[in-house]
Amino acid sequence: MIPELGHVALIVALQLALLQGILGLVGASRDNAAWRAMARGAAGGQLLFVLLGFLALIWSFLINDFSVMNVADHSSRFLPVEYRITAAWGSHEGSFLLWTLLMAGWTLAVVILGRKLPADLHARVIGIMGLLSFFFLAYLLFTSNPFMRLHPPPANGSDLNPLLQDPGMIIHPPLLYMGYVGFSVAFAFAIAALISGKLDAAWARWVRPWTLMAWVFLTLGIMIGSWWAYYELGWGGWWFWDPSENASLMPWLAGTALLHSLVVTERRGALRVWTVFLALVVFALSLVGTFLVRSGVLSSVHAFALDPLRGLFILVFLCILIGGSLVLFAKRAGAVKVAGDFGMISRETALLTGNVLLLAALATVLLGTLYPLILDAFGLGKISVGPPYFNAVFVPMMVPVLLLLGIAPWMRWGRESLPELLRRVRWQALAAVLIGIALPFLFEVWRWQAALGLVLAAWMILTTISGLIARRQSDGGLPLAAYGMGCAHVGLAIGIIGMGLVSAYQSEKTVAMQPGDSASLGQYEFVFRGAEEVPAANYSAMRGTIELKRQGQAVATLLPEKRIYRSAQMTMTEAAIRYGFVGDVYVAMGEPLAGGTWSMQLYLKPFVGWLWGGAILMALGGLLAALGLRSKGVRE
Amino acid sequence: MSLWIGVGCFVVVALVFLLVPLWRQKSALAGRHDARRWPTMGLLGALPALTVGLYIYLGAPGILKEQALTQAQSNYDVDGMVKALEDKLKATPNDPDGWYALGRAYIAFSRYADAEEALRKATTQAPQDARIIAQYAEAMALKQGSLDGRPLELIQAALEISYEEEKALELAGLAAFQKENWAEALHYWRRLLKLLPKVTEHHEAIAQAVLTAERKLDIRLGGTGVPLPPPPAEPKKAPH
């Protein structure tokens, strides 16, 4: 009964989304206030019904209703309750339902928070978001229905993928999707601007807070995903250049570029066409990323062949969306008044250069991610593109971006004299180089990766903070958004310290240990006290006990586990981690050897936590900026 | 039925979200009623029709009926069968197999007193049927909560008639097991195991019981592997 009602709720939501789209767009172009009001009402109703559908699915998971195919395929009686709830978005179908729910949520936020916008722009944005929702609901209902039924139902389900049975996985997808879906607001604003031809500084001011919020969520989502990979996959890596990670990095890079070009458009009225273009690109990349990850193409490009309707639906939609918006862009971009004159050396140029470099870096990621898939799809052979490619191509492109990041806030809008600029930042540059070169001597060996990371980070931190101080003195105060910028830039610098130091100084060791054995790594001594069996509801685990000593003093007891999940017959490694400010100690159990001996992997990961700490600061900075802009907008 | 009430509620709520904003808009449309009437009528017609149509196309409205049917069948069948059997036996009470079946049904419903009574009738009508006697013993034992006394006598009687009576072997083994006569229990159950079809739940359960008894015996004998004490003598088969 409940699953059927959930199904009906989605059908009602589908119609409301279509009405929202048509009434919004037609109401805007015919200047019909009643239709615009109906579009707003439809948006509210759509959220209600998608939410009902989502709750119905969660309910089916909670009560183990295996007559719902999605439940039978992704849950089991032995699955703990909290994972039964999250299993609702652990599947292809469920994750698109979550996407649709978040989309409806963002739409309602636009309906409520955008009341002060010009009526036609507001209605167009709502209308475009309605059409996007309509597509997702149609995709859900016609090709990926989460409420497909089984009769008679199986006695038990086939359980949730053990990799997803983890707290990190509870929040990672919703955060990521909040980011992806949030960029649909910027997309809708861009399309609305192209339709009306009105694209000015005011437009950029409206879009900025939305883009910032989406970017904040995406940053946090990527951060949680990276942290999850670190502790869950059992070897302490934090970024693998895996296609599913790249799928989230690409919209993030484009989104970062969009944030900065929006600043130029808002403050100077310049780069309008470029900004609109970026807004289209960010959302298109979000869609491509979602489909890449969720469609199964990554595990096999032939996954689509199993369900051609899904693939066709996605391809047609992407063609309409990307092709349509680019055609609209090509036809209408000429109508957008080009304004804002700036010199070769100016803050505009610095931001634009940063933008272009970000997009170039993005292109290298896109190539490295899609090219192997395309080759495979056409039967031209399998190649693997991994970290060596990305480290060699992507990283060098980011170095000038980071250098620009330090200098841009010091530059004047319009025109700037180079000698004057260099004079202003000369001390910061000198200090950064000295600090960066000196600090690695504190470690056992001096390594250039560490020095590079530290020089860049010191440069970013020094210029950002001194720039804010100087601006505060000259302007007699700072807006909240400026603190946000400072926080985000310092956060990025802290993340880079983490990346540089962990890649230069991490150490590892694989040892075979019998109970009572000890091994040493760095300043630590690891004493193995044996392994015992620990049963749990849906897996059984061997848990090792390792006493961690430093200079003879016991500092912690680490309990790594090797788990076998019953339903999937999958072995999982639960690493034991001692988190620390200056680095983590990381232990993973390997394979059991003869007679109570275990192979153990021991790692020291200096400063690795700074990576995620930096990402949190970046997100916090984005949030501050969004709040600052929003309150400024309200005051105006 | 209640599903369609739910569908109706959903459609009404959706219409409220659309029509309330339409009819609350005054300014530009004041006086122009047909500018509102046509959208209203269109929505009142289209939304319910599309919702129902799409649901019938995409959904599984039949599943509720099927689920309900499966549910009802499983309840209906047993109740109905018992009722039918009771009626039939009232009309033709001289039917030992009928009373036997009714007795087993009562046992399944935990109506042990009724079961005992039905099986008593069956045994008086067929006093030489080992199967019925063993079942009577079980009903009696379930009612009094123990195999001791009359049930055990009946079991022995059943085994004297047929030493291959499965229920009797099972109960005899159980009685011995309860008295911690592990070897005797093993004797009956091993014999039973040979008679039961393999790969059935019953076979598995008895095999499990045999293992338990073997372990108990082994423990009592100190795990020395001493040969088992001789089983109780097999009585001669009573001539039929």
Side-chain angles (χ1 to χ4, degrees), chain A residues 14 173 208 235 269:
Chain A
L14 172 81
R208 268 183 80 192
W235 53 281

Side-chain angles (χ1 to χ4, degrees), chain A residues 573-597:
Chain A
T573 304
E574 286 291 307
I577 304 171
R578 180 171 189 260
Y579 294 100
F581 186 70
V582 294
D584 293 357
V585 180
Y586 187 110
V587 177
M589 275 173 106
E591 299 305 316
L593 309 168
T597 309

Side-chain angles (χ1 to χ4, degrees), chain B residues 22-236:
Chain B
L22 176 68
W23 285 87
R24 277 178 59 185
Q25 278 294 321
K26 288 178 202 131
S27 55
L29 290 158
R32 283 180 54 202
H33 258 285
D34 48 327
R36 294 178 189 178
R37 197 176 301 136
W38 288 115
T40 307
M41 287 172 66
L43 285 175
L44 283 177
L47 207 64
L50 272 172
T51 305
V52 171
L54 276 173
Y55 177 63
I56 288 173
Y57 174 65
L58 291 169
I63 197 169
L64 294 178
K65 212 182 274 175
E66 275 175 46
Q67 279 179 342
L69 209 64
T70 323
Q71 195 80 36
Q73 258 173 357
S74 49
N75 294 340
Y76 169 87
D77 273 351
V78 186
D79 281 343
M81 265 169 49
V82 171
K83 190 87 187 59
L85 199 52
E86 282 169 348
D87 291 347
K88 192 177 153 238
L89 288 168
K90 233 176 251 169
T92 50
N94 200 1
D95 176 5
D97 282 331
W99 288 114
Y100 170 76
L102 186 63
R104 282 176 59 115
Y106 283 145
I107 288 176
F109 286 126
S110 307
R111 289 164 63 179
Y112 301 131
D114 291 337
E116 191 190 349
E117 178 55 22
L119 286 158
R120 191 189 60 75
K121 282 181 185 152
T123 45
T124 42
Q125 288 167 11
Q128 286 303 311
D129 192 327
R131 185 182 55 131
I132 294 178
I133 297 172
Q135 194 64 64
Y136 181 34
E138 187 182 32
M140 200 181 279
L142 285 167
K143 191 185 151 209
Q144 69 182 40
S146 148
L147 282 161
D148 291 341
R150 182 81 180 124
L152 202 55
E153 287 170 33
L154 284 167
I155 292 165
Q156 292 305 336
L159 285 175
E160 266 167 40
I161 296 167
S162 161
Y163 210 65
E164 291 184 343
E165 208 320 281
E166 293 170 8
K167 177 60 79 184
L169 285 171
E170 183 190 333
L171 293 175
L174 184 62
F177 189 88
Q178 284 173 349
K179 295 203 179 82
E180 303 193 350
N181 286 334
W182 315 122
E184 197 184 329
L186 271 176
H187 164 76
Y188 289 120
W189 282 342
R190 280 184 180 151
R191 190 175 179 87
L192 173 60
L193 214 49
K194 277 187 211 143
L195 299 171
L196 290 174
K198 292 228 166 69
V199 209
T200 57
E201 269 182 44
H202 196 191
H203 186 278
E204 206 172 297
I206 297 297
Q208 201 61 46
V210 165
L211 279 179
T212 314
E214 278 173 350
R215 206 172 310 131
K216 297 271 190 195
L217 184 65
D218 202 35
I219 290 166
R220 209 179 57 179
L221 298 179
T224 48
V226 173
L228 301 181
E234 188 171 328
K236 278 198 184 132

Side-chain angles (χ1 to χ4, degrees), chain A residues 168-188:
Chain A
M169 266 299 128
I170 296 177
I171 42 176
H172 168 64
L175 281 174
L176 209 57
Y177 280 14
M178 276 299 276
Y180 287 162
V181 178
F183 284 129
S184 73
V185 183
F187 174 84

Side-chain angles (χ1 to χ4, degrees), chain A residues 1 4-5 7-9 11-12 14-16 19 33-34 37-38 41-42 44-45 48-49 52 67 141-142 149-151, chain B residues 2-3 6-7 10 13-14 17-18 21-22 25 29 43 47 50-51 54-55 57-61 63-64 66-67 70:
Chain A
M1 179 76 174
E4 292 309 297
L5 283 176
H7 201 163
V8 177
I11 289 172
V12 174
L14 172 81
Q15 300 169 73
L16 287 172
L19 285 169
M38 282 168 84
L48 174 72
F49 284 105
L52 285 177
S67 73
L141 283 168
F142 291 99
R149 302 299 290 264
L150 287 171
H151 187 82
Chain B
S2 48
L3 173 69
V7 175
F10 280 10
V13 173
F17 272 99
L18 292 165
L22 176 68
Q25 278 294 321
L29 290 158
L43 285 175
L47 207 64
L50 272 172
T51 305
L54 276 173
Y55 177 63
Y57 174 65
L58 291 169
I63 197 169
L64 294 178
E66 275 175 46
Q67 279 179 342
T70 323

Side-chain angles (χ1 to χ4, degrees), chain A residues 75 84 212 418 441 536 544 620:
Chain A
S75 183
R84 259 188 257 157
L212 274 164
L418 191 59
F441 283 109
L620 183 68

Side-chain angles (χ1 to χ4, degrees), chain A residues 407-424:
Chain A
I407 209 167
W410 277 95
M411 294 171 92
R412 291 200 189 95
W413 294 107
R415 236 165 268 295
E416 176 69 82
S417 104
L418 191 59
E420 165 71 6
L421 175 69
L422 293 179
R423 197 185 60 75
R424 254 182 268 153

